[in-house]
Each structure stands twice: as C-alpha cells, then as structure tokens.
Amino acid sequence: MKKNIAIVGAGFSGAVIANQLAQAGYTVDVFESRPHIAGNCHSERDPETNVMVHVYGPHIFHTDNERAWEFVNRYAEFKPYVNRVKAITGGRVFTLPINLLTINNFFGKTFRPAEAQAFLESVADKSIENPQTFEEQALRFVGRELYEAFFKTYTIKQWGLEPSQLPASILKRLPVRFNYDDNYFNHKYQGMPANGYTELVENVLKVPGITVHLNTRFDPADKGNYEHVFYSGPIDAWFKHAEGRLPYRTLDFEVFRDKGDYQGNAVVNYCDDAEPYTRITEHKHFSPWEKHDGTIMYKEYSRQCEENDTPYYPIRQAREKAQLEKYVNLAKDEPNVTFVGRLGTYRYLDMDVTINEALITSDKFLEAAKSGARMPAFAIDPLA
Ligand code: UDP
C-alpha cells in the first residue's frame, strides 16, 4: 500500500515533487513555514497600485529545457517576456549583458562585430588560461575597464566579497555578445506567468491527495510518520546546524511608489559605488500587457544572512564546500529523506533547473519504489 509522503517547503521543488507523487497515487502533506506558497518566487498584487509584485525580488523564467518549459506551461498561461537590463555606471546608462552597443557606447566607438571582438581580445588578459575566479573570468573575457565599470563594485555589493574570492561560474551566468542583441538570457524559451508565480505554483499543487499546511514547520523528529520525506529547507537546519551555519546572502528591499513610469524598464542595475544598492526593480514592467497608473519599485540591498533572515544566495567558496560536504555525509546516513532544491542542496539554482531536478527526483523515487531500491539522499550530487 502506498503511504504518506511529507514534503518540506512549497517552493518549486516541493510543489513539483508533490504534483508528481500525488498523480502517482501517493498522499502528500506539504509543510510550509511561511504564510504563502511559491517560496522566493512568490508574487502578489500590491493593494495600492494593483501591480503584480515579485515579493522576493525579480524572477524571470528562461530555459532551454523542454520538460521544464512544458511543465510550467501546463499549469499557467505564459506571456512573452524578454529581460533587457539597463546598467548605470560612471553616471551613464548602458545595456547589459555586455553587447555591441555596450562596447561601442562605453568606448565611444562604432565597431562592427569582428572589430569589437578583436578590440576586446586586445584588452583581455590572455595570460589567464583557465579562469577560476570571477575576477579572472572577467579580466580574461572583457578586460579591466569593463570589469571595473560593470562587475567589480556590483559584485562586492552583491556578495560582500572580492571577485577574486568568488567562482568564475557566477560571471558565466551572463553572456558577452558581439551583436546588438541585449536579451539578458541566451535561452530558447523566456516568459512570465500572466497571473504571477504564486498562481502557477497553486495550480501545480491542485492535485487530489495533496494537503498544504501553511505556517507549519516540519519537525525532523516526525519523519517516522511518513514513508519518505523530501526536504527543500536549508540542509544545515535539518541537522540543527551541527556543522555550523552555511552562509547565505539575504536581500532587503526598500519599497517605494510613484505615478506613471519611474525608470522606463523592469530592472536597472547600479554598478558603481555612487549608490549602496545593486538594482531597482519596477515591477509593472514585468507585466507589459497590463495597464497601471501607479507604479511600485524595490531598491535592492544585499547583506549577510543572519539567523532570522530569509536565505537567498548560497556562498559556495572552498570553505563552505568543505562544510557542505560534512552535511552531505550526514544526509547520506539519514534514511528516507531526500534533500532537494536551492536550500536543500546549497546551490545557486534558476527556476527551470529547480523544476527539472524536481522532476528527475520524482522519477527516481517512483522507479526506486517500483524496484524496492533505496531512494538516495540526493537525486543530484550537490558537490558537483
Ligand atoms: N553582475 C555584475 N553586474 C551586473 C550584473 C551582474 O557584476 O550589473 C554579477 C554579480 O556578481 C551577480 C552575477 O553577475 O551576482 C550574476 O548576475 P545575475 O543577474 O544572474 O544575478 P541574479 O539576478 O541571480 O541576482
């Protein structure tokens, strides 16, 4: 007989696994400590302006993954949306990611693609053969001037660390282009759920057999009541921080409202130290198909995450990876629990990757249940 499954967290990881297992006939209890579902993707309408707000900061859905794209489109109407970021540095406005217009505007040139490419190669530090750090990656591919104008200070504001201490993978999130394409992402599919992410997650959870318990913390001591637990909370919290707290960055938002159009774009980054914040998000531009007289903005400040803050970005330097490894070993000795998602595996995950991994995790669980094999603590290696 199929028994109950507990899922901790009602973000994308938890909701997708609940969806898949409930459809396979399991009874699923989802425990969410916050008063809402959808985790940090949660969106709600601002009562004053009626604008759909990304409550925990900007989330733009973009993917090359057919399965994740098909999944989200099954549960929500997606509107076409292309993220085009503007960046202010040295008192001037540029387009990001770095593209031909950025290069030409910044250097006062009229380069064509091959000329811009040759120019960046001439200013790049070619002595860096295999960039390991964020700084090396920047110096190798865009050279010192663009690095210092767009990345260095923003990154110090965002991470509280020198770019020489951060992995190259963080900068690799951003493309560099030698044409005038200023789409922030390289992916085949990009869009915005017409009625917000929370409605999408609500639909994902609308399967007979799923019960969502809001404002409810799951006590690991209760795991024996369930056949299996999928845990998308912070991995160190499951083990009562036995190996110390894994560090995160958290965000503070200064919310303000205005009439009309405040900044003409959804996201404007502030790349130098003229401003202490990293970016301003004007939420109504995420829903260009809607009309609003009022407008609501978030000024975004990043800082170290303390005990009662919401964790956002995991800081995976060498020391933290060693600490994570200890938690991974503890998790591998914990029967009937699988750790999933950004917090459960301590990785910087985009929404599409989270959804795809949750689908893979569900597949593995259903296969294991069929064959009688043990479901592992991780469906995806968090140390890879
Ligand atoms: N970044 C930067 N300047 C910018 C935008 C991004 O230096 O104007 C760096 C920064 O370190 C940031 C990383 O690139 O953390 C990844 O940027 P992304 O926009 O993907 O960050 P997210 O939207 O996930 O916060």
Side-chain angles (χ1 to χ4, degrees):
M1 197 190 86
K2 283 177 180 170
K3 286 188 272 170
N4 287 359
I5 300 289
I7 293 185
V8 185
F12 269 123
S13 294
V16 171
I17 296 170
N19 171 286
Q20 297 290 289
L21 301 196
Q23 288 190 65
Y26 286 88
T27 303
V28 182
D29 280 313
V30 179
F31 297 91
E32 170 56 59
S33 60
R34 296 192 228 183
H36 61 77
I37 59 167
N40 282 6
C41 305
H42 173 54
S43 49
E44 63 187 28
R45 288 207 182 268
D46 170 38
E48 284 183 42
T49 60
N50 205 34
V51 169
M52 185 63 80
V53 171
H54 295 196
V55 177
Y56 297 88
H59 282 78
I60 299 105
F61 199 90
H62 54 97
T63 191
D64 275 333
N65 186 289
E66 300 287 342
R67 196 177 179 200
W69 183 241
E70 188 277 324
F71 186 89
V72 293
N73 277 276
R74 214 184 311 154
Y75 293 100
E77 178 198 351
F78 266 72
K79 297 274 195 192
Y81 181 83
V82 178
N83 197 32
R84 301 187 196 280
V85 174
K86 299 292 171 273
I88 296 182
T89 186
R92 295 164 65 204
V93 187
F94 299 92
T95 68
L96 274 189
I98 289 182
N99 63 78
L100 193 48
L101 191 63
T102 327
I103 297 166
N104 278 331
N105 286 348
F106 187 81
F107 293 104
K109 301 286 185 193
T110 55
F111 289 139
R112 287 185 290 120
E115 293 166 335
Q117 195 160 2
F119 175 76
L120 277 206
E121 267 165 36
S122 76
V123 297
D125 184 345
K126 287 197 264 331
S127 70
I128 303 166
E129 278 175 21
N130 185 13
Q132 296 298 311
T133 69
F134 185 111
E135 183 174 49
E136 288 172 353
Q137 177 75 14
L139 294 176
R140 173 66 189 84
F141 290 100
V142 301
R144 184 163 295 279
E145 272 192 88
L146 290 172
Y147 162 60
E148 291 190 344
F150 292 100
F151 301 129
K152 188 176 178 185
T153 309
Y154 184 104
T155 297
I156 293 169
K157 288 195 277 188
Q158 167 69 16
W159 293 94
L161 290 166
E162 289 295 325
S164 57
Q165 294 174 278
L166 290 163
S169 59
I170 296 179
L171 184 56
K172 286 185 190 161
R173 292 172 58 80
L174 275 57
V176 176
R177 298 204 191 94
F178 297 102
N179 56 33
Y180 289 107
D181 178 4
D182 63 355
N183 180 348
Y184 202 67
F185 303 113
N186 265 338
H187 290 135
K188 181 169 165 191
Y189 304 112
Q190 193 172 159
M192 207 47 92
N195 298 309
Y197 289 98
T198 300
E199 187 205 68
L200 161 59
V201 175
E202 204 176 300
N203 291 339
V204 170
L205 286 166
K206 223 180 265 168
V207 178
I210 298 179
T211 309
V212 179
H213 309 268
L214 293 179
N215 300 304
T216 311
R217 277 190 183 280
F218 182 81
D219 184 345
D222 292 338
K223 75 168 195 176
N225 299 336
Y226 294 90
E227 177 182 336
H228 200 87
V229 179
F230 292 89
Y231 178 78
S232 72
I235 185 169
D236 52 341
W238 180 273
F239 297 105
K240 299 196 161 45
H241 310 283
E243 301 293 346
R245 283 183 181 271
L246 286 167
Y248 285 90
R249 297 297 281 179
T250 191
L251 299 177
D252 294 320
F253 299 107
E254 194 182 312
V255 182
F256 60 107
R257 294 176 182 80
D258 204 343
K259 289 265 170 260
D261 193 352
Y262 176 76
Q263 64 180 13
N265 201 42
V267 182
V268 178
N269 289 0
Y270 288 82
C271 297
D272 62 21
D273 49 21
E275 317 290 354
Y277 42 87
T278 52
R279 55 188 174 188
I280 298 180
T281 298
E282 184 171 10
H283 295 266
K284 74 175 177 185
H285 293 299
F286 284 134
S287 312
W289 58 90
E290 295 184 1
K291 289 274 166 283
H292 300 281
D293 297 332
T295 188
I296 173 167
M297 280 66 62
Y298 271 25
K299 222 174 244 188
E300 187 169 326
Y301 298 82
S302 171
R303 64 175 169 82
Q304 186 183 319
C305 184
E306 305 292 348
E307 211 171 310
N308 295 314
D309 295 325
T310 305
Y312 281 76
Y313 301 87
I315 305 169
R316 281 171 68 109
Q317 299 184 90
R319 185 166 51 91
E320 287 76 24
K321 272 188 104 173
Q323 198 183 355
L324 173 63
E325 199 173 343
K326 292 183 188 162
Y327 282 114
V328 168
N329 289 333
L330 286 175
K332 285 181 177 164
D333 288 337
E334 185 86 358
N336 305 325
V337 183
T338 297
F339 295 80
V340 295
R342 176 176 57 94
L343 303 174
T345 65
Y346 196 60
R347 286 173 306 146
Y348 188 173
L349 296 183
D350 286 331
M351 291 179 281
D352 64 322
V353 178
T354 306
I355 291 167
N356 188 47
E357 289 191 358
L359 291 167
I360 292 171
T361 304
S362 310
D363 294 345
K364 282 203 177 160
F365 176 78
L366 294 173
E367 280 162 29
K370 211 188 259 172
S371 67
R374 179 176 185 259
M375 177 65 186
F378 299 96
I380 283 102
D381 180 5
L383 296 167

Tab-separated table of all heavy atoms in Angstrom, residues 58 87 96 134 150-152 154-155 158-159 166 170-171 173-174 184-185 269 271 279 300 313 348 350, ligand 1:
chain	number	residue	atom	x	y	z
A	58	PRO	N	13.236	40.127	-8.393
A	58	PRO	CA	12.869	39.769	-9.768
A	58	PRO	C	13.133	38.317	-10.139
A	58	PRO	O	14.200	37.782	-9.871
A	58	PRO	CB	13.758	40.700	-10.609
A	58	PRO	CG	14.865	41.144	-9.718
A	58	PRO	CD	14.290	41.152	-8.328
A	87	ALA	N	22.091	49.301	-17.139
A	87	ALA	CA	23.089	49.402	-16.075
A	87	ALA	C	23.633	50.821	-16.037
A	87	ALA	O	23.990	51.387	-17.081
A	87	ALA	CB	24.222	48.421	-16.337
A	96	LEU	N	22.848	45.892	-20.658
A	96	LEU	CA	23.502	44.646	-20.247
A	96	LEU	C	22.681	43.497	-20.808
A	96	LEU	O	21.481	43.665	-20.999
A	96	LEU	CB	23.543	44.536	-18.722
A	96	LEU	CG	24.713	45.186	-17.982
A	96	LEU	CD1	24.669	44.771	-16.516
A	96	LEU	CD2	26.070	44.827	-18.577
A	134	PHE	N	35.915	34.718	-10.353
A	134	PHE	CA	35.082	35.703	-11.041
A	134	PHE	C	35.982	36.750	-11.702
A	134	PHE	O	35.809	37.099	-12.877
A	134	PHE	CB	34.162	36.356	-9.994
A	134	PHE	CG	33.159	37.320	-10.551
A	134	PHE	CD1	31.800	37.010	-10.547
A	134	PHE	CD2	33.545	38.551	-11.060
A	134	PHE	CE1	30.861	37.900	-11.050
A	134	PHE	CE2	32.625	39.452	-11.563
A	134	PHE	CZ	31.279	39.125	-11.544
A	150	PHE	N	31.442	47.560	-14.740
A	150	PHE	CA	30.163	46.848	-14.632
A	150	PHE	C	30.116	45.757	-13.559
A	150	PHE	O	29.038	45.455	-13.042
A	150	PHE	CB	29.786	46.215	-15.984
A	150	PHE	CG	29.452	47.234	-17.022
A	150	PHE	CD1	30.395	47.604	-17.982
A	150	PHE	CD2	28.211	47.858	-17.021
A	150	PHE	CE1	30.086	48.565	-18.940
A	150	PHE	CE2	27.892	48.819	-17.970
A	150	PHE	CZ	28.833	49.182	-18.931
A	151	PHE	N	31.238	45.141	-13.279
A	151	PHE	CA	31.178	43.923	-12.453
A	151	PHE	C	31.803	44.021	-11.073
A	151	PHE	O	31.297	43.439	-10.120
A	151	PHE	CB	31.840	42.748	-13.200
A	151	PHE	CG	31.192	42.449	-14.519
A	151	PHE	CD1	31.939	42.335	-15.689
A	151	PHE	CD2	29.813	42.288	-14.604
A	151	PHE	CE1	31.329	42.065	-16.905
A	151	PHE	CE2	29.192	42.016	-15.815
A	151	PHE	CZ	29.954	41.907	-16.975
A	152	LYS	N	32.922	44.743	-10.995
A	152	LYS	CA	33.683	44.671	-9.746
A	152	LYS	C	32.870	45.178	-8.545
A	152	LYS	O	32.646	44.453	-7.577
A	152	LYS	CB	34.988	45.469	-9.899
A	152	LYS	CG	35.892	45.274	-8.719
A	152	LYS	CD	37.222	45.968	-8.890
A	152	LYS	CE	38.030	45.751	-7.625
A	152	LYS	NZ	39.277	46.467	-7.638
A	154	TYR	N	29.636	46.105	-8.334
A	154	TYR	CA	28.323	45.448	-8.192
A	154	TYR	C	28.490	44.137	-7.438
A	154	TYR	O	27.714	43.809	-6.534
A	154	TYR	CB	27.712	45.192	-9.580
A	154	TYR	CG	26.312	44.607	-9.552
A	154	TYR	CD1	25.199	45.398	-9.824
A	154	TYR	CD2	26.102	43.254	-9.273
A	154	TYR	CE1	23.914	44.863	-9.812
A	154	TYR	CE2	24.821	42.706	-9.244
A	154	TYR	CZ	23.735	43.511	-9.527
A	154	TYR	OH	22.464	42.977	-9.511
A	155	THR	N	29.529	43.401	-7.804
A	155	THR	CA	29.751	42.084	-7.197
A	155	THR	C	30.135	42.215	-5.724
A	155	THR	O	29.678	41.432	-4.888
A	155	THR	CB	30.820	41.322	-8.009
A	155	THR	OG1	30.276	41.123	-9.314
A	155	THR	CG2	31.181	39.995	-7.391
A	158	GLN	N	26.955	42.941	-4.025
A	158	GLN	CA	26.048	41.783	-4.024
A	158	GLN	C	26.526	40.667	-3.102
A	158	GLN	O	25.730	40.031	-2.422
A	158	GLN	CB	25.900	41.255	-5.466
A	158	GLN	CG	25.266	39.893	-5.615
A	158	GLN	CD	23.790	39.887	-5.246
A	158	GLN	OE1	23.151	40.925	-5.151
A	158	GLN	NE2	23.263	38.698	-5.006
A	159	TRP	N	27.827	40.404	-3.109
A	159	TRP	CA	28.338	39.219	-2.407
A	159	TRP	C	29.113	39.555	-1.133
A	159	TRP	O	29.425	38.651	-0.343
A	159	TRP	CB	29.233	38.392	-3.348
A	159	TRP	CG	28.433	37.792	-4.466
A	159	TRP	CD1	28.242	38.316	-5.713
A	159	TRP	CD2	27.663	36.576	-4.429
A	159	TRP	NE1	27.406	37.507	-6.451
A	159	TRP	CE2	27.042	36.426	-5.689
A	159	TRP	CE3	27.436	35.597	-3.451
A	159	TRP	CZ2	26.218	35.345	-5.986
A	159	TRP	CZ3	26.613	34.520	-3.756
A	159	TRP	CH2	26.018	34.396	-5.010
A	166	LEU	N	35.500	34.814	-5.468
A	166	LEU	CA	34.269	34.157	-5.939
A	166	LEU	C	34.544	33.291	-7.170
A	166	LEU	O	35.444	33.586	-7.948
A	166	LEU	CB	33.230	35.229	-6.291
A	166	LEU	CG	32.648	35.973	-5.094
A	166	LEU	CD1	31.960	37.257	-5.539
A	166	LEU	CD2	31.666	35.077	-4.339
A	170	ILE	N	29.831	32.301	-11.368
A	170	ILE	CA	28.841	33.372	-11.137
A	170	ILE	C	28.814	34.321	-12.327
A	170	ILE	O	27.748	34.718	-12.801
A	170	ILE	CB	29.149	34.129	-9.818
A	170	ILE	CG1	29.006	33.178	-8.625
A	170	ILE	CG2	28.223	35.334	-9.665
A	170	ILE	CD1	29.322	33.820	-7.282
A	171	LEU	N	29.976	34.660	-12.848
A	171	LEU	CA	30.003	35.566	-14.005
A	171	LEU	C	29.566	34.855	-15.287
A	171	LEU	O	28.983	35.471	-16.186
A	171	LEU	CB	31.399	36.176	-14.188
A	171	LEU	CG	31.522	37.203	-15.309
A	171	LEU	CD1	30.526	38.352	-15.153
A	171	LEU	CD2	32.933	37.771	-15.379
A	173	ARG	N	27.123	33.214	-15.732
A	173	ARG	CA	25.679	33.338	-15.914
A	173	ARG	C	25.355	34.384	-16.983
A	173	ARG	O	24.302	34.342	-17.596
A	173	ARG	CB	25.015	33.787	-14.601
A	173	ARG	CG	25.055	32.768	-13.488
A	173	ARG	CD	24.560	33.354	-12.173
A	173	ARG	NE	23.214	33.890	-12.230
A	173	ARG	CZ	22.104	33.170	-12.166
A	173	ARG	NH1	22.190	31.866	-12.015
A	173	ARG	NH2	20.926	33.740	-12.231
A	174	LEU	N	26.258	35.344	-17.183
A	174	LEU	CA	25.991	36.455	-18.107
A	174	LEU	C	26.707	36.262	-19.435
A	174	LEU	O	27.914	36.059	-19.451
A	174	LEU	CB	26.493	37.774	-17.489
A	174	LEU	CG	25.598	38.535	-16.528
A	174	LEU	CD1	25.174	37.698	-15.345
A	174	LEU	CD2	26.312	39.778	-16.034
A	184	TYR	N	18.912	39.532	-21.904
A	184	TYR	CA	19.788	39.167	-20.781
A	184	TYR	C	20.128	37.672	-20.776
A	184	TYR	O	21.140	37.263	-20.222
A	184	TYR	CB	19.099	39.540	-19.461
A	184	TYR	CG	20.040	39.706	-18.288
A	184	TYR	CD1	20.965	40.749	-18.249
A	184	TYR	CD2	20.016	38.833	-17.207
A	184	TYR	CE1	21.820	40.911	-17.178
A	184	TYR	CE2	20.869	38.993	-16.126
A	184	TYR	CZ	21.769	40.033	-16.120
A	184	TYR	OH	22.629	40.196	-15.054
A	185	PHE	N	19.254	36.875	-21.404
A	185	PHE	CA	19.455	35.421	-21.366
A	185	PHE	C	19.654	34.852	-22.765
A	185	PHE	O	19.132	35.387	-23.730
A	185	PHE	CB	18.245	34.743	-20.708
A	185	PHE	CG	17.972	35.259	-19.325
A	185	PHE	CD1	16.816	35.978	-19.047
A	185	PHE	CD2	18.874	35.047	-18.291
A	185	PHE	CE1	16.571	36.470	-17.771
A	185	PHE	CE2	18.634	35.530	-17.015
A	185	PHE	CZ	17.483	36.244	-16.751
A	269	ASN	N	20.387	48.197	-13.086
A	269	ASN	CA	21.476	47.867	-12.160
A	269	ASN	C	22.307	49.115	-11.880
A	269	ASN	O	22.513	49.943	-12.771
A	269	ASN	CB	22.402	46.816	-12.785
A	269	ASN	CG	21.754	45.448	-12.861
A	269	ASN	OD1	20.615	45.265	-12.457
A	269	ASN	ND2	22.489	44.487	-13.389
A	271	CYS	N	25.915	49.851	-10.941
A	271	CYS	CA	27.150	49.064	-10.925
A	271	CYS	C	28.322	49.707	-10.196
A	271	CYS	O	29.324	49.048	-9.974
A	271	CYS	CB	27.566	48.736	-12.355
A	271	CYS	SG	26.346	47.726	-13.200
A	279	ARG	N	20.354	47.156	-7.427
A	279	ARG	CA	19.440	47.399	-8.554
A	279	ARG	C	18.103	47.920	-8.072
A	279	ARG	O	17.758	47.786	-6.901
A	279	ARG	CB	19.257	46.125	-9.399
A	279	ARG	CG	18.788	44.916	-8.636
A	279	ARG	CD	18.840	43.658	-9.524
A	279	ARG	NE	18.522	42.463	-8.743
A	279	ARG	CZ	18.621	41.218	-9.185
A	279	ARG	NH1	19.033	40.964	-10.409
A	279	ARG	NH2	18.313	40.193	-8.413
A	300	GLU	N	17.111	47.327	-4.114
A	300	GLU	CA	17.606	46.043	-3.585
A	300	GLU	C	18.976	46.187	-2.931
A	300	GLU	O	19.929	46.630	-3.568
A	300	GLU	CB	17.665	45.064	-4.771
A	300	GLU	CG	17.991	43.644	-4.421
A	300	GLU	CD	17.751	42.713	-5.613
A	300	GLU	OE1	16.810	42.940	-6.416
A	300	GLU	OE2	18.533	41.753	-5.750
A	313	TYR	N	21.033	33.717	-1.581
A	313	TYR	CA	22.123	33.180	-2.405
A	313	TYR	C	23.115	32.398	-1.546
A	313	TYR	O	23.696	32.961	-0.618
A	313	TYR	CB	22.898	34.317	-3.067
A	313	TYR	CG	22.094	35.218	-3.972
A	313	TYR	CD1	21.412	36.321	-3.473
A	313	TYR	CD2	22.047	34.979	-5.350
A	313	TYR	CE1	20.693	37.161	-4.310
A	313	TYR	CE2	21.332	35.822	-6.189
A	313	TYR	CZ	20.653	36.909	-5.657
A	313	TYR	OH	19.952	37.735	-6.489
A	348	TYR	N	23.175	27.692	-6.207
A	348	TYR	CA	22.581	28.874	-6.863
A	348	TYR	C	21.794	28.339	-8.061
A	348	TYR	O	22.364	28.079	-9.116
A	348	TYR	CB	23.742	29.763	-7.301
A	348	TYR	CG	23.438	31.157	-7.838
A	348	TYR	CD1	24.513	32.003	-8.102
A	348	TYR	CD2	22.168	31.636	-8.077
A	348	TYR	CE1	24.325	33.289	-8.591
A	348	TYR	CE2	21.969	32.915	-8.563
A	348	TYR	CZ	23.045	33.737	-8.818
A	348	TYR	OH	22.859	35.008	-9.304
A	350	ASP	N	18.577	28.377	-10.853
A	350	ASP	CA	17.497	29.081	-11.526
A	350	ASP	C	16.219	28.240	-11.423
A	350	ASP	O	16.276	27.032	-11.172
A	350	ASP	CB	17.858	29.317	-13.000
A	350	ASP	CG	18.899	30.419	-13.149
A	350	ASP	OD1	18.930	31.320	-12.296
A	350	ASP	OD2	19.681	30.377	-14.120
B	1	UDP	N1	26.808	41.126	-12.036
B	1	UDP	C1	27.535	42.292	-12.008
B	1	UDP	N2	26.986	43.431	-12.545
B	1	UDP	C2	25.752	43.460	-13.048
B	1	UDP	C3	25.001	42.278	-13.096
B	1	UDP	C4	25.553	41.121	-12.563
B	1	UDP	O1	28.648	42.311	-11.519
B	1	UDP	O2	25.313	44.541	-13.491
B	1	UDP	C5	27.419	39.905	-11.467
B	1	UDP	C6	27.123	39.811	-9.962
B	1	UDP	O3	28.225	39.203	-9.315
B	1	UDP	C7	25.918	38.899	-9.935
B	1	UDP	C8	26.247	37.923	-11.059
B	1	UDP	O4	26.888	38.744	-12.054
B	1	UDP	O5	25.774	38.256	-8.685
B	1	UDP	C9	25.067	37.204	-11.652
B	1	UDP	O6	24.135	38.142	-12.121
B	1	UDP	P1	22.585	37.793	-12.287
B	1	UDP	O7	21.962	38.967	-12.945
B	1	UDP	O8	22.461	36.470	-12.921
B	1	UDP	O9	22.129	37.712	-10.756
B	1	UDP	P2	20.678	37.411	-10.083
B	1	UDP	O10	19.629	38.072	-10.938
B	1	UDP	O11	20.552	35.910	-9.979
B	1	UDP	O12	20.828	38.079	-8.750
